[in-house]
Amino acid sequence: MINLKALPNPRETETVVLTLRRNWLTVAGLIAMFSAMLIVPAAILWFFNEHVGRWLVHPVLGPLFTMVACIYVMSVWLFAFLEFTDYYLDIWIVTSERILATEQKGLFNRVASELHLAAVQDVTSELRGMVGTFLDFGDVQVQTAGEKERFQFDNVDHPEKVKETIIRLIEEDKKRHASTLIAAMAEGEKSPEETA
Amino acid sequence: MDFLPEITIPIASFLILYGVYVLFYLLYALFNIYHLLRFATATPMSYVITFVFGVGSIGLLAISLLLLSRYDWSVPFSITAIFEGPEGGSSLFKL
């Protein structure tokens, strides 16, 4: 669960409704890729185990080969973690009042955007391909009234439900704003009488 | 290759490369952990991931140091042997 205090510019009346990340297939793809990066060289070394055995006992090649192998395995582990962090830090949070998008682009670039629900004009969900249709994941695009770049949630689970939830939240936000406005207007009408 | 002087260095020189790599690894890992703890909206999962990565990294470093410590790093490495090739009868290419 997301800690509300950890959100940028937290508001008292706000509640977190959706916390979205890319579908688990993204992580599965990363795990498969990095596993292959370890398994394929290991299989090649096992296949040539006679030669490898001779290299390992060689006084010069042995330590150099071991060192290169250690560096390779550590690099795979490090870059797997970097890629996972990149995935994990790409997050879209929908609250009762706004949409927060955070995207990590590499290790040193980070884009954080915030959009109030009142500014949303159109929400579109998109399911693509056989895998996306069967596993029910796809993109959700949130278009604002201005010429700003639209928000896009990439490969999130249940895009149709996400779209419906955002539309419902927009309606609730409109009602809340309308009632606040009516109350303010009523207050404004009262005050001249009260002052008289 | 008679025109080349016989140059030998201990293979321990390569440990400098390993040391530089370990520094690079630690720097990148620390940057990554900082990102995760600073920006991962304070979920317990971010601590779990950091812990798993930390344990894995310490394990890999320990294993690599253990494997490398089994070799005699004072063995001289002939740079000239690289240019001589297998026919030169160098110790490097005698497998």
Side-chain angles (χ1 to χ4, degrees), chain B residues 25-82:
Chain B
Y25 185 96
L26 290 175
L27 195 71
Y28 251 69
L30 287 175
F31 263 122
N32 213 20
I33 288 169
Y34 166 77
H35 270 93
L36 206 56
L37 296 180
R38 171 81 174 79
F39 300 118
T41 49
T43 53
M45 187 64 180
S46 57
Y47 295 104
V48 173
I49 298 163
T50 309
F51 177 75
V52 169
F53 174 71
V55 169
S57 295
I58 292 166
L60 284 174
L61 268 170
I63 290 168
S64 69
L65 288 173
L66 188 78
L67 290 173
L68 294 175
S69 66
R70 287 160 54 183
Y71 289 102
D72 177 13
W73 289 87
S74 61
V75 173
F77 169 76
S78 170
I79 295 174
T80 326
I82 297 170

Side-chain angles (χ1 to χ4, degrees), chain A residues 10 28 37 42 45 52 57 67 72 79-80 83 100-101 110 112-113 116 119 133 155 163 169 183 192:
Chain A
M37 286 171 76
L45 293 179
V52 175
V57 294
M67 196 176 82
Y72 178 78
F79 284 103
E83 284 297 320
L100 301 153
R110 186 177 161 78
S113 327
H116 199 279
T133 308
N155 295 328
K163 185 191 86 177
L169 289 170

Side-chain angles (χ1 to χ4, degrees), chain A residues 131-183:
Chain A
V131 182
T133 308
F134 279 122
L135 296 177
D136 192 18
F137 73 90
D139 301 343
V140 177
Q141 291 154 3
V142 181
Q143 183 74 54
T144 59
E147 287 182 4
K148 275 184 181 177
E149 196 182 325
R150 63 186 177 183
F151 271 47
Q152 178 151 334
F153 308 163
D154 299 315
N155 295 328
V156 292
D157 285 324
H158 319 301
E160 193 65 30
K161 279 184 188 171
V162 171
K163 185 191 86 177
E164 284 167 11
T165 308
I166 294 173
I167 290 171
R168 178 176 57 79
L169 289 170
I170 293 167
E171 291 302 321
E172 287 173 7
D173 189 59
K174 275 180 188 168
K175 281 179 194 165
R176 203 167 41 243
H177 277 282
S179 58
T180 314
L181 199 67
I182 290 165

Side-chain angles (χ1 to χ4, degrees), chain A residues 1-3 6-8 21 51 54-64 66-68 70-79 81-86 88-89 91 93 102 104 106-110, chain B residues 11 14-15 17-18 21-22 24-25 28-29 31-33 35-36 39-46 49-50 52-57 60-61 63-64 67-68 71-73 75-77 91-95:
Chain A
M1 189 64 189
I2 296 292
N3 179 5
L7 292 180
R21 281 199 176 85
H51 292 281
R54 271 183 279 159
W55 294 345
L56 287 175
V57 294
H58 191 275
V60 177
L61 284 183
L64 296 183
T66 308
M67 196 176 82
V68 170
C70 288
I71 287 175
Y72 178 78
V73 173
M74 284 166 72
S75 300
V76 171
W77 179 249
L78 178 66
F79 284 103
F81 185 60
L82 290 177
E83 284 297 320
F84 183 81
T85 306
D86 199 323
Y88 194 74
L89 293 181
I91 189 168
I93 300 167
T102 309
Q104 188 72 32
L107 198 58
F108 301 103
N109 293 309
R110 186 177 161 78
Chain B
I11 54 168
F14 291 100
L15 284 176
L17 286 178
Y18 179 75
Y21 174 78
V22 169
F24 160 84
Y25 185 96
Y28 251 69
F31 263 122
N32 213 20
I33 288 169
H35 270 93
L36 206 56
F39 300 118
T41 49
T43 53
M45 187 64 180
S46 57
I49 298 163
T50 309
V52 169
F53 174 71
V55 169
S57 295
L60 284 174
L61 268 170
I63 290 168
S64 69
L67 290 173
L68 294 175
Y71 289 102
D72 177 13
W73 289 87
V75 173
F77 169 76
S91 61
L92 176 64
F93 293 97
K94 275 180 189 169
L95 292 174

